[in-house]
């Protein structure tokens, strides 16, 4: 489903990702954990080519791209992106469009789905994330949790093989975190393949099948989530988890 090989990324002279290798099988939920600045978000953005890797290769679904030998063609970027949907920290809903208008725009414009079909599919997904009654509201009339659930529905509308989540609860008040995590947990139970950057360790232990701990641009430890996040082998992983427990 996903295969990353020898991925490297620099910003100027600063190396952000170094020799990244991992795989995600169909139906797996993989969490990326680590301190701020460890490279988690950059890695996730590289998977969707919002950041362009300097070296290595990424395979998602049936598409493989190799980096470092020249510029990547725009059509190749579009083809890789069609296999994945991304949910950001800050929702990124269009403020001048209703919830329904937000989630049907890309299927209509990018995938040429008939508007009536997109609306019916949108209603099903909004019901799934508990947002159907809010379909005609604008984002500024919604709570942060509601906006994030609408953003998840928007990503799902493109029928991605992989869902990418970049700390989907970090911008939410604590009382709103649970409703978003519940939606993601439901997707996991349905077998949706996901890669999730998160600091919610209890959620990660419960939902993830695999955990990757990152430090200073490297994957320091990987394995079954229950093992990595409960009984880590590496000292840096233990130190990171101890800091979270102290909080």
């Amino acid at each position: 489903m996903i295969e990353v090989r020898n991925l490297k990324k620099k910003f100027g002279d600063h190396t952000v990702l170094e020799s990244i290798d991992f795989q995600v099988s169909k139906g797996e939920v993989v969490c990326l954990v680590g301190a701020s600045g460890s490279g988690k978000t950059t890695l996730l953005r590289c998977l969707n080519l919002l950041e362009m890797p300097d070296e290595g290769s990424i395979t998602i679904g049936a598409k493989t791209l190799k980096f470092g030998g020249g510029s990547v063609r725009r059509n190749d970027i579009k083809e890789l992106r069609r296999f994945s949907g991304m949910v950001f920290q800050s929702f990124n809903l269009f403020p001048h469009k209703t919830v329904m208008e937000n989630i049907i725009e890309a299927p209509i414009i990018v995938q040429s789905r008939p508007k009536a079909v997109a609306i019916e599919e949108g209603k099903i997904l909004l019901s799934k994330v508990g947002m159907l009654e809010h379909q005609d509201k604008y984002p500024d009339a919604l709570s942060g949790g509601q906006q994030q659930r609408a953003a998840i529905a928007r990503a799902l509308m493109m029928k991605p093989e992989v869902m990418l989540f970049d700390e989907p609860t970090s911008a939410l008040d604590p009382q709103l975190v649970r409703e978003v995590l519940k939606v993601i947990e439901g997707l996991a139970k349905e077998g949706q393949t996901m890669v999730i950057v998160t600091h919610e360790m209890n959620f990660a232990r419960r939902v993830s099948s695999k955990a990757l701990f990152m430090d200073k641009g490297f994957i320091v430890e990987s394995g079954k989530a229950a093992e990595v996040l409960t009984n880590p082998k590496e000292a840096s992983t233990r130190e990171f988890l101890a800091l979270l427990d102290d909080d």
Side-chain angles (χ1 to χ4, degrees):
M1 177 59 69
I2 300 178
E3 184 173 13
V4 175
R5 289 286 174 246
N6 198 34
L7 203 70
K8 299 180 182 180
K9 174 64 180 176
K10 287 185 176 182
F11 292 119
D13 294 330
H14 178 55
T15 298
V16 184
L17 299 174
E18 182 67 51
S19 302
I20 299 294
D21 290 275
F22 69 96
Q23 291 179 302
V24 182
S25 299
K26 184 176 178 62
E28 270 194 318
V29 179
V30 176
C31 63
L32 302 178
V33 299
S36 296
S38 60
K40 309 181 303 296
T41 290
T42 300
L43 175 54
L44 200 74
R45 290 173 65 85
C46 282
L47 292 180
N48 204 30
L49 299 185
L50 294 173
E51 300 289 354
M52 194 62 63
D54 296 311
E55 295 181 34
S57 67
I58 296 174
T59 299
I60 301 182
K63 184 66 177 178
T64 298
L65 288 184
K66 296 182 178 180
F67 309 96
S71 60
V72 178
R73 296 183 305 171
R74 184 182 298 271
N75 285 343
D76 288 331
I77 294 173
K78 287 182 178 179
E79 189 173 351
L80 189 77
R81 283 179 178 166
R82 75 181 176 86
F83 290 103
S84 64
M86 189 154 181
V87 177
F88 301 87
Q89 299 178 27
S90 54
F91 324 135
N92 289 4
L93 297 174
F94 295 117
H96 59 289
K97 293 182 181 291
T98 66
V99 168
M100 180 61 78
E101 288 170 341
N102 262 280
I103 73 169
I104 67 173
E105 178 163 294
I108 292 172
I109 294 176
V110 177
Q111 297 179 336
S112 301
R113 271 187 250 173
K115 183 175 182 179
V117 172
I119 289 174
E120 288 307 307
E121 292 174 347
K123 288 179 178 179
I124 292 171
L125 282 179
L126 288 176
S127 178
K128 183 175 184 176
V129 301
M131 286 293 294
L132 184 58
E133 64 187 271
H134 304 293
Q135 64 176 312
D136 296 322
K137 293 181 180 179
Y138 289 88
D140 64 1
L142 304 174
S143 71
Q146 290 169 336
Q147 290 186 60
Q148 192 61 294
R149 284 185 283 151
I152 292 171
R154 180 181 59 185
L156 289 170
M157 278 291 288
M158 299 299 286
K159 301 181 179 179
E161 294 189 26
V162 179
M163 285 285 284
L164 308 174
F165 292 88
D166 183 16
E167 297 195 32
T169 61
S170 66
L172 302 178
D173 293 332
Q175 63 268 30
L176 300 177
V177 169
R178 182 178 176 83
E179 65 186 57
V180 173
L181 294 183
K182 184 178 179 180
V183 170
I184 299 173
E185 193 165 356
L187 294 175
K189 290 178 180 177
E190 293 174 2
Q192 174 70 55
T193 308
M194 294 186 280
V195 181
I196 306 170
V197 174
T198 183
H199 281 101
E200 300 285 342
M201 290 300 105
N202 288 332
F203 166 75
R205 291 184 186 100
R206 188 172 66 250
V207 173
S208 304
S209 45
K210 183 187 295 182
L212 307 179
F213 175 72
M214 297 188 66
D215 187 32
K216 298 177 182 177
F218 290 88
I219 294 177
V220 176
E221 186 167 359
S222 65
K224 293 181 180 179
E227 295 176 3
V228 172
L229 302 179
T230 304
N231 296 301
K233 297 177 181 178
E234 300 296 327
S236 55
T237 315
R238 291 195 297 271
E239 291 170 6
F240 171 76
L241 294 174
L243 287 173
L244 292 183
D245 290 339
D246 289 343
D247 292 341

